[in-house]
Amino acid sequence: MPQPYPPGARRLGRPASAVPCTSCGELVGRGYLACATCTERVDAYWKADWAALLDSEGIVAGDPEERDLVARVFGAEPGTHPWTCTDWALRLTVCPTCRAELATGDSGCLACAGADQARWAWDYAAMPTAMTYNEHSLRLTVAGLRAAHRRRDSQVAYWRLSLPFLLTGEPISKVQAQRVRTFLLAGREDELSSADSYAEMASLPDLPWRALA
């Protein structure tokens, strides 16, 4: 029997620090989806686990058998496959209702909403023994950015700012996260975006609250 809740996103090493992307100039990951290089660097962690699953099944990517594997991943009990494989199976599936990537359609699409909700059964049941808080945050951030049109602008901005540091594995506390969100609401995104670490973002000096322009 497969090990319950196999880990995900651990086949590749994490970068030692956040560095500028050679294509877009932002810290790697901050241009996710808009920048091909940032997208490739982020998605590599998901692709590595999916490639390993294909190899274990003797399946070549793009062959018809890959579609059968996607269906088996969806039909398996939560925790049978790495969470990255569940996410990648969603990416390979077109929603039968809205025709978007499954789980990323408009908020009114019940099929996408159901698929997105179902993916988190693995996530919360596995934590903290089989999934680190960093991995949970990385998954949540990337899933959110793939459906950014369904989220508040401030939340999307927070995810984009955070992603480069999540990629490095930098620990992020709930207190730090609250500070960074407060700074964003105070209109300090330019200051946050110039920081070289999440800890530096969270350590900006406090200023009197000011309304966004």
Side-chain angles (χ1 to χ4, degrees):
M1 177 178 293
Q3 177 185 356
Y5 299 99
R10 298 183 189 176
R11 293 182 180 277
L12 304 178
R14 299 294 191 92
S17 61
V19 297
C21 172
T22 56
S23 296
C24 70
E26 297 277 3
L27 293 181
V28 171
R30 198 162 280 171
Y32 186 66
L33 294 183
C35 169
T37 300
C38 284
T39 303
E40 181 181 5
R41 294 283 293 276
V42 173
D43 285 349
Y45 296 94
W46 279 257
K47 287 181 177 179
D49 286 345
W50 185 255
L53 180 58
L54 289 175
D55 186 63
S56 70
E57 297 285 336
I59 297 173
V60 176
D63 283 358
E65 290 81 5
E66 187 176 26
R67 301 306 312 169
D68 296 333
L69 178 59
V70 167
R72 294 204 304 275
V73 169
F74 286 152
E77 289 292 321
T80 302
H81 302 288
W83 55 267
T84 42
C85 290
T86 300
D87 288 355
W88 202 259
L90 289 170
R91 297 193 195 184
L92 294 176
T93 304
V94 174
C95 174
T97 302
C98 70
R99 309 307 297 170
E101 175 188 306
L102 188 59
T104 70
D106 291 336
S107 56
C109 178
L110 296 180
C112 280
D116 186 51
Q117 182 178 14
R119 91 163 89 199
W120 303 109
W122 193 119
D123 192 291
Y124 291 108
M127 287 181 69
T129 57
M131 189 179 207
T132 67
Y133 184 71
N134 171 270
E135 290 163 354
H136 161 74
S137 298
L138 181 62
R139 186 187 200 195
L140 180 66
T141 296
V142 171
L145 289 175
R146 296 191 74 82
H149 55 282
R150 294 163 53 182
R151 311 295 181 178
R152 299 189 307 274
D153 289 346
S154 61
Q155 181 63 66
V156 173
Y158 172 76
W159 282 330
R160 292 201 184 283
L161 284 168
S162 305
L163 185 51
F165 309 125
L166 290 174
L167 287 177
T168 70
E170 181 181 353
I172 295 171
S173 72
K174 292 181 180 180
V175 172
Q176 287 176 317
Q178 184 57 51
R179 284 183 61 83
V180 172
R181 289 189 175 98
T182 299
F183 293 147
L184 263 175
L185 291 174
R188 302 176 67 181
E189 186 170 353
D190 287 346
E191 294 175 78
L192 293 167
S193 64
S194 65
D196 292 327
S197 69
Y198 196 92
E200 186 179 332
M201 286 203 300
S203 298
L204 290 182
D206 292 323
L207 293 175
W209 183 273
R210 64 178 184 271
L212 293 173

